[in-house]
């Protein structure tokens, strides 16, 4: 991990130096407020995948705060609540959140509450607690305040799984022009398309934003097995049963001889 971080740091320095040279050579009239990119736009999940760290870097034309969010892919999540009924703990109420991001991370150059007002953070969905999640309930009728309880439970579950950041990461700004931050992806990362959004905020207002896509895919033998299991589920299930039976028979034969 330390070697990986050192490589990312060296890569970041080279990339930032390149941006600085390009920025200085560009005509100010055509310069953009915000330029950002990732060290890689793809994360490959192999059999021994233990997580990945990507560098997000860029430059700005003037002073301002930088906020970075990374999220995706969207999924449907059901949160259930247990209650004691006749001495037995049972699932009595539940709430389903559709299009909830499987992964969410945020990083900022300063504490979020010092960068922008609460309404700005909510409007831009900056911070896990400000994500707009469509909810539907089942079981007994839920009160309006119950939705907030279930939302917080969803965030806590994702944080416990390492999929939602518990605290914002740090965006480092160099000489007021260049910025960088490192985004960590855990080993239980889901495949799909992710989105990195970089916000330039001045005076509590978002003055510029840039979106960069990121693709996470399975590769190698693991990817082939995954694809086969989903596209040929019946054959995969039969093969799994035959392998289990053969393994059991072989183990019985070996122990019988012993």
């Amino acid at each position: 991990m330390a070697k990986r971080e050192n490589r990312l740091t060296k890569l970041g320095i080279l990339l930032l130096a390149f941006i600085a040279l390009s920025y200085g050579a560009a005509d100010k009239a055509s310069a953009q407020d915000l330029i950002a990119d990732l060290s890689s736009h793809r994360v490959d999940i192999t059999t021994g995948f233990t997580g990945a760290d990507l560098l997000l870097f860029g430059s700005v034309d003037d002073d301002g705060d930088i906020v970075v969010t990374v999220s995706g892919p969207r999924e449907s999540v059901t949160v259930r609540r247990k209650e004691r009924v006749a001495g037995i703990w049972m699932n009595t109420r539940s709430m389903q959140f559709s299009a909830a991001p499987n992964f969410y991370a945020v990083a900022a150059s300063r504490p979020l509450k010092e960068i922008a007002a609460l309404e700005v953070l909510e409007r831009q969905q900056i911070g896990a607690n400000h994500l707009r999640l469509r909810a539907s309930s089942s079981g007994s009728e839920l009160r309006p305040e119950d939705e907030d309880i279930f939302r917080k439970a969803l965030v806590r579950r994702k944080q416990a799984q390492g999929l939602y950041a518990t605290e914002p990461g740090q965006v480092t700004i160099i000489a007021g022009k260049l910025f960088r931050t490192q985004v960590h992806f855990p080993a239980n990362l889901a495949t799909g398309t992710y989105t990195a959004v970089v916000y330039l905020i001045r005076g509590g207002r978002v003055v510029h934003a840039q979106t960069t896509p990121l693709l996470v895919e399975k590769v190698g033998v693991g990817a082939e097995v995954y694809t086969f299991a989903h596209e040929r589920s019946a054959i995969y299930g039969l093969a799994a049963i035959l392998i289990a039976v053969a393994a059991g028979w072989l183990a019985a034969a070996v122990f019988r001889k012993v």
Side-chain angles (χ1 to χ4, degrees):
M1 181 64 71
K3 292 182 178 179
R4 181 187 300 173
E5 291 179 354
N6 289 335
R7 287 197 298 269
L8 284 173
T9 300
K10 292 179 181 178
L11 177 61
I13 294 173
L14 291 174
L15 291 172
L16 290 173
F18 173 76
I19 291 176
L21 292 174
S22 301
Y23 185 90
D27 184 79
K28 290 187 177 181
S30 60
Q32 298 183 32
D33 289 342
L34 174 65
I35 301 175
D37 201 0
L38 289 164
S39 57
S40 175
H41 290 267
R42 181 187 177 95
V43 174
D44 293 331
I45 298 180
T46 60
T47 304
F49 182 73
T50 58
D53 293 298
L54 294 185
L55 180 71
L56 189 149
F57 59 93
S59 66
V60 291
D61 68 342
D62 204 348
D63 294 336
D65 288 296
I66 298 295
V67 177
V68 176
T69 64
V70 181
S71 63
R74 299 285 174 168
E75 63 180 3
S76 179
V77 181
T78 300
V79 180
R80 295 180 174 86
R81 182 174 184 176
K82 289 187 176 181
E83 294 182 348
R84 195 176 183 87
V85 179
I88 302 175
W89 287 98
M90 301 176 59
N91 291 324
T92 57
R93 296 186 293 177
S94 66
M95 178 170 289
Q96 185 178 50
F97 295 91
S98 60
N102 174 271
F103 174 86
Y104 183 86
V106 60
S109 55
R110 290 193 297 154
L112 293 176
K113 62 181 180 180
E114 298 179 8
I115 294 177
L118 179 61
E119 55 267 24
V120 175
L121 300 178
E122 291 178 342
R123 183 167 60 251
Q124 302 296 336
Q125 301 187 67
I126 298 175
N129 293 326
H130 300 145
L131 293 173
R132 289 193 293 271
L133 306 174
R134 295 191 299 272
S136 60
S137 62
S138 63
S140 58
E141 191 67 25
L142 295 177
R143 298 170 297 177
E145 56 268 26
D146 286 336
E147 183 174 336
D148 183 59
I149 296 176
F150 278 88
R151 286 175 182 270
K152 290 179 178 179
L154 170 61
V155 172
R156 287 196 303 270
R157 179 200 295 182
K158 291 289 189 179
Q159 289 176 338
Q161 295 171 342
L163 294 171
Y164 279 18
T166 55
E167 295 291 339
Q170 179 64 44
V171 174
T172 302
I173 298 180
I174 304 172
K177 299 291 185 181
L178 309 176
F179 64 87
R180 66 186 299 273
T181 186
Q182 187 170 295
V183 182
H184 176 71
F185 296 93
N188 55 339
L189 196 65
T191 58
T193 302
Y194 290 67
T195 302
V197 184
V198 182
Y199 299 93
L200 173 60
I201 301 178
R202 293 195 188 108
R205 297 187 306 107
V206 176
V207 296
H208 197 88
Q210 180 176 327
T211 301
T212 303
L214 170 68
L215 182 63
V216 177
E217 285 188 330
K218 291 181 179 290
V219 297
V221 177
E224 295 178 0
V225 173
Y226 179 85
T227 302
F228 181 78
H230 283 75
E231 295 182 354
R232 304 285 191 274
S233 56
I235 299 177
Y236 177 81
L238 180 60
I241 294 174
L242 292 176
I243 292 174
V245 172
W249 177 84
L250 181 61
V254 171
F255 284 105
R256 190 183 304 119
K257 292 181 179 180
V258 175

